[in-house]
Amino acid sequence: MRRTGVLFVFLAILLVPSATAQPTVSVRGNVGAAFFQSPDGLNNVLNSGIDLGLEAGIELYRGVELVLQGNYDRFTLNGDNVGLIDEELTVESTVDGGDFNVLNGSIGLRYTLRSRSDAHPYVSGGVGVYRTVFGEARSGQRDEIFPRIATTNRGFHAAIGSTFRVNDTYAFFFEPRLVVVNTTDSKLNTSTSTRYVTARVGLDVRL
């Protein structure tokens, strides 16, 4: 009985803090600019894009968070530069449409270095599923339609950034991020993976 009682007290000591302590949960929303890097050819005809994101993080340990996120990136086609990858198009050709869109969901980790100042630098990374869609495009001169191409691939991201805390609830953050999507074996038939960089700013709300 004495051993049972001691074991019960020991388990109670372990379980009570874990039951009463609530992990920190944060929600982030961001906007930003996106800059297409590769594959070659596409990087010459796509304009800079936009980046929208929403994520939720739960603190696992001091400064370490598990992060779930959804993200949307869009690049518009520069019709004046399409001739660089299509020799049959003349300079006077007009091409409309052809937006390049990336929608993804990912899971990852973020580590924040806590400091005495209001600025807290961090690093993060994650893996996920990326839905890439090359929108339908039309050539005005040849009256030709380039069909829509959609494919789903795996990818990852890596980022560095800094959080600027306003109070215990609200903070702003800035984050440059590299995104890599494996499109070499997809319908896009690219020679290298799709890569682009985003510069994100947003609001962090600690619940």
Side-chain angles (χ1 to χ4, degrees):
M1 290 293 293
R2 181 177 297 179
R3 290 183 177 179
T4 304
V6 172
L7 180 60
F8 178 80
V9 172
F10 180 73
L11 290 175
I13 293 174
L14 291 178
L15 293 176
V16 168
S18 62
T20 57
Q22 297 182 356
T24 301
V25 177
S26 63
V27 177
R28 287 187 169 195
N30 76 270
V31 297
F35 307 94
F36 201 85
Q37 302 293 312
S38 70
D40 293 337
L42 281 179
N43 60 359
N44 293 321
V45 299
L46 292 177
N47 295 315
S48 300
I50 60 170
D51 172 270
L52 301 173
L54 182 64
E55 63 183 52
I58 180 169
E59 190 171 32
L60 302 177
Y61 190 66
R62 298 178 181 177
V64 179
E65 294 176 87
L66 176 68
V67 180
L68 300 175
Q69 76 153 20
N71 216 74
Y72 172 71
D73 301 292
R74 182 186 181 189
F75 303 89
T76 57
L77 186 70
N78 187 328
D80 295 335
N81 292 340
V82 173
L84 295 175
I85 60 172
D86 192 337
E87 296 179 353
E88 296 182 13
L89 290 176
T90 64
V91 177
E92 293 78 15
S93 299
T94 58
V95 177
D96 299 319
D99 295 336
F100 187 77
N101 303 278
V102 183
L103 180 66
N104 86 285
S106 66
I107 183 171
L109 294 174
R110 179 169 59 234
Y111 172 69
T112 302
L113 181 62
R114 296 178 177 176
S115 63
R116 294 183 179 180
S117 68
D118 293 330
H120 305 279
Y122 65 84
V123 294
S124 68
V127 295
V129 177
Y130 291 75
R131 178 71 172 173
T132 56
V133 180
F134 212 137
E136 180 182 278
R138 295 174 177 268
S139 171
Q141 184 183 30
R142 297 190 311 190
D143 196 24
E144 182 178 356
I145 297 177
F146 301 94
R148 174 179 177 271
I149 302 175
T151 183
T152 302
N153 309 279
R154 288 174 294 181
F156 68 90
H157 71 267
I160 58 173
S162 184
T163 300
F164 304 92
R165 188 146 297 282
V166 178
N167 51 41
D168 290 340
T169 302
Y170 298 102
F172 295 97
F173 68 92
F174 171 73
E175 178 189 297
R177 171 179 292 196
L178 170 67
V179 179
V180 180
V181 186
N182 181 21
T183 53
T184 54
D185 297 326
S186 68
K187 296 178 182 178
L188 292 176
N189 193 28
T190 59
S191 58
T192 60
S193 297
T194 295
R195 297 193 300 271
Y196 57 91
V197 175
T198 61
R200 301 148 54 94
V201 292
L203 179 66
D204 182 294
V205 180
R206 184 178 294 177
L207 304 182

